[in-house]
Amino acid sequence: MTMMKHLFDERLAQLNAHQKDLLRKPNEPQLPGNGIFLRYRNPILTAAHTPIFWRYDLNKETNPYLMERFGINGVFNAGAIKWKGRYAVMTRVEGRDRKSFFAIADSPNGIDNFEFWDSPAHIPGTGEAETNLYDIRLTRHEDGFIYGLFCTEKRDGNAPPADQSAAIAQCGIARTQDLIHWQRLADLRTHSPQQRNVVLHPEFVDGKYAFYTRPQDGFINTGSGSGVGFGLSDSITDAVVEKETIIDPRVYHTINESKNGLGPEPIKTRLGWLHLAHGVRNTAAGLRYTLYLFLTDLHDLTRVLHKPGGYLIAPTGPERVGDVSNVVFSNGWIADDDGRVFIYYASSDTRMHVATSTIDQLLDYVVNTPEDKGTTASSVDTLQLLIDKNKAFR
């Protein structure tokens, strides 16, 4: 028994030392970058960043071998908000049982030294059966509350017993004023059979709450659903969108031909509302997720002013490997008062990263980068114009 206790203490010391090194590891930009944003060398959060007292029973009597009792599979798809001067991300933490929950980690500088709060977020239920909650978007609304909009999922009751993967997804809504105590509101109702990737606009529109939606017929395939939608609701406590207007449709042979959805809440800039979204296309290797930007009018939120062709961020190197490979996904970013922007994105449903830019850089990119004109010939013409322009500078 004395030997067992010695091994327990030795192993716990090793675990604590390893995690301390991990949490304090500085993050460095990957230079030279592309002039639009900077990637950083290390993930900001992984399963190993979760507290040891989440994963291990620290009682020597009940866990003499110091085994993991609550396994964490991944930390990804985080909403983000500036909170009390710190950079807070509300992550999707997935256990080894595939159930996801929300937990907040924060950092003094937004790029490293992220640490989880002691307890995960406790989101009340609605009384309806729901198996899984994930992918929360945080919006600090002008009504004074912080809202979290997330996907609430349950098994499709109409599916045959042989199909245990058929599911129904809708938009859950909760609100808080301290990021600790959450009030659950009624799920968003629309005329679409299913909803994912719903985002609340931070301001009232004509005195109403404005939602960016992603209507879809099925859990995986969008079917007749066709892109990022927009709609208004008189209420937030019982939100109902009667009409969804598609503002950013899916388009054949583009990065968003299979499906697309908004990421975090848009950022208000001098030129319009800046949106970060994900686009999905099908390949021989499966679905590929990338991130892209577009800009909408300050007053008519359904009017897209600029949309660069192609993606802003795509998975690269180790980011391509994970539970769901070849994926980047973002549902959180933070714009500082000095114009710096922190883009928090996940890779392959496994880990969290950060990329940094500025409002001015992102506006330059979104306004001056050529759009996708839809054909090989037009792409060659666009490239040739740039080549010809550069002849004077070579």
Side-chain angles (χ1 to χ4, degrees), residues 140-161:
R140 183 181 275 114
H141 197 274
E142 68 170 311
D143 72 0
F145 283 97
I146 296 170
Y147 289 90
L149 273 64
F150 49 89
C151 183
T152 171
E153 176 192 319
K154 63 182 179 181
R155 185 176 182 272
D156 186 347
N158 294 320

Side-chain angles (χ1 to χ4, degrees), residues 98 131-132 134 151-160 163-170 193-196 216-221:
R98 286 197 62 202
T131 302
N132 208 22
Y134 51 91
C151 183
T152 171
E153 176 192 319
K154 63 182 179 181
R155 185 176 182 272
D156 186 347
N158 294 320
D163 186 354
Q164 290 296 320
S165 63
I168 295 174
Q170 296 296 345
Q194 299 205 34
Q195 285 285 354
R196 283 212 210 181
Q216 56 189 84
D217 293 344
F219 182 65
I220 299 297
N221 296 319

